Amino acid sequence: MEDFQFDNGKGSFSVSYRKALSHNMPVNHFHSTYEIFYLMSGKRTFFIKDRTMIIEEGDVVIISPNILHRTTNTEMPKHERLIVNIHESQMSSMNDAYRDIFQPLFEHAYLIIKCPLQDKLAIESVAQSIMQEMQEKRPGFEMFAQTLVLQLLIICCRHVKQNAIEPLDTPSPMYERILEVVRYMNTHYMQDLPLHLLAEKFYVSPYYLSRFFKEATGFTFVEYLNSVRIKEAKKLLEQTSLKVSLIARKVGFGSVTHFGRVFKLVTGHAPLYYRKDK
């Protein structure tokens, strides 16, 4: 099957299939939708929120809205994957009891689904049907594909409800040290956080921190700090009526001009784009 990308243009549903011989990751690393990443072949290292973990063939990763994430292993690029982004509104439109049905999604920042063979076969079958619908584009294909995605989510949520979530190993002690830094940044992003001061705080050299931060998370140090700040700014823009200049200061930017430039780089939009409905 050839690679394809579908987006409904409303920010509520998209599907992407790729059989990759090279590493590729979209610029936008957090979304207002749930992201379902199904690894059909290969092996990927994922950074999500504050953890780095290895994902293997047949695994499904479900990431909640506005959670920073990235794949990191450029040295093992060959893989095949299906990615679906679906907004919560699409779930609620199908059934009023959707929050009970999809309960695990609302309790976790992300889920790593490692199913037994029977469930893996069911997931593979549904995934193939989604891809067929998106390729053939027969009348009603988008709605049909959305119902298939909900089936996929139900299979995954049933598995989580019936099985304890097993903790995933961190690839190495070096990664764990870097992830301590990440957790600190997630909490203290509004403060001045130059690399050399964080390196001193965590008893590593600036060179070590800069080099291994990228390896462990897929982000450069500055790119990650900016992404965390912009993610929080986006939330404030959507949920409050605070002025843009005040939001910029609250998330750690000294200049509103710099804030606007970084915001557009990270999200693809100017800050006021997220105030359109207010």
Side-chain angles (χ1 to χ4, degrees):
M1 182 176 287
E2 293 183 359
D3 295 359
F4 68 82
Q5 174 81 40
F6 169 82
D7 191 305
N8 69 357
K10 303 172 185 175
S12 60
F13 186 67
S14 65
V15 183
S16 169
Y17 166 78
R18 188 167 189 257
K19 192 168 187 178
L21 296 175
S22 61
H23 176 76
N24 178 63
M25 189 68 184
V27 173
N28 195 350
H29 307 290
F30 58 89
H31 325 272
S32 300
T33 52
Y34 284 87
E35 179 167 301
I36 305 156
F37 182 104
Y38 173 45
L39 187 60
M40 304 170 76
S41 67
K43 183 182 287 190
R44 309 300 292 152
T45 303
F46 248 96
F47 167 78
I48 311 176
K49 189 179 179 182
D50 59 6
R51 296 287 299 171
T52 301
M53 59 209 82
I54 295 172
I55 307 302
E56 298 178 326
E57 182 176 321
D59 292 348
V60 179
V61 183
I62 305 174
I63 306 168
S64 292
N66 296 316
I67 298 295
L68 274 172
H69 59 279
R70 199 168 197 176
T71 51
T72 68
N73 53 334
T74 55
E75 71 278 4
M76 293 189 295
K78 190 176 179 181
H79 68 285
E80 184 180 9
R81 88 313 184 253
L82 175 69
I83 298 178
V84 177
N85 286 85
I86 186 166
H87 196 273
E88 184 180 338
S89 60
Q90 305 300 316
M91 305 177 201
S92 62
S93 65
M94 297 291 181
N95 192 312
D96 290 340
Y98 79 99
R99 290 196 72 88
D100 290 330
I101 297 168
F102 299 121
Q103 180 186 359
L105 301 185
F106 305 116
E107 294 181 344
H108 302 276
Y110 58 88
L111 297 170
I112 311 297
I113 314 296
K114 293 179 174 286
C115 291
L117 180 60
Q118 184 176 351
D119 285 344
K120 280 187 176 180
L121 293 174
I123 288 170
E124 175 67 18
S125 175
V126 173
Q128 291 294 337
S129 296
I130 293 169
M131 289 167 13
Q132 184 177 349
E133 283 296 319
M134 306 316 292
Q135 287 278 68
E136 294 178 356
K137 290 186 169 58
R138 291 180 291 177
F141 75 94
E142 184 181 339
M143 183 182 291
F144 196 167
Q146 288 176 9
T147 63
L148 290 167
V149 172
L150 296 182
Q151 288 181 44
L152 179 59
L153 288 173
I154 288 171
I155 294 168
C156 292
C157 288
R158 284 176 176 174
H159 173 77
V160 172
K161 287 179 178 181
Q162 294 167 5
N163 301 273
I165 298 175
E166 298 181 11
L168 297 174
D169 293 334
T170 301
S172 74
M174 177 275 292
Y175 277 59
E176 191 54 52
R177 171 62 66 87
I178 296 299
L179 297 175
E180 288 179 20
V181 178
V182 166
R183 293 176 194 120
Y184 184 86
M185 294 170 73
N186 287 347
T187 306
H188 298 86
Y189 61 87
M190 70 293 294
Q191 300 173 7
D192 187 27
L193 294 178
L195 185 141
H196 71 276
L197 286 183
L198 274 183
E200 185 177 314
K201 180 176 179 63
F202 286 91
Y203 305 104
V204 296
S205 72
Y207 170 78
Y208 176 100
L209 179 55
S210 178
R211 176 186 171 188
F212 289 111
F213 195 96
K214 172 74 172 175
E215 183 176 328
T217 69
F219 296 87
T220 66
F221 179 85
V222 171
E223 185 183 16
Y224 183 76
L225 180 57
N226 282 339
S227 295
V228 172
R229 287 172 168 171
I230 296 305
K231 176 175 72 74
E232 295 300 322
K234 177 176 173 285
K235 189 187 303 181
L236 290 171
L237 285 161
E238 292 172 332
Q239 299 177 5
T240 76
S241 57
L242 294 173
K243 291 183 177 179
V244 172
S245 57
L246 179 56
I247 289 174
R249 291 198 300 273
K250 282 180 74 71
V251 300
F253 285 92
S255 160
V256 70
T257 304
H258 181 54
F259 167 72
R261 188 163 53 245
V262 174
F263 195 100
K264 188 162 188 177
L265 181 66
V266 172
T267 68
H269 302 287
L272 290 178
Y273 174 86
Y274 295 96
R275 281 270 164 89
K276 279 186 175 180
D277 296 334
K278 291 188 180 297

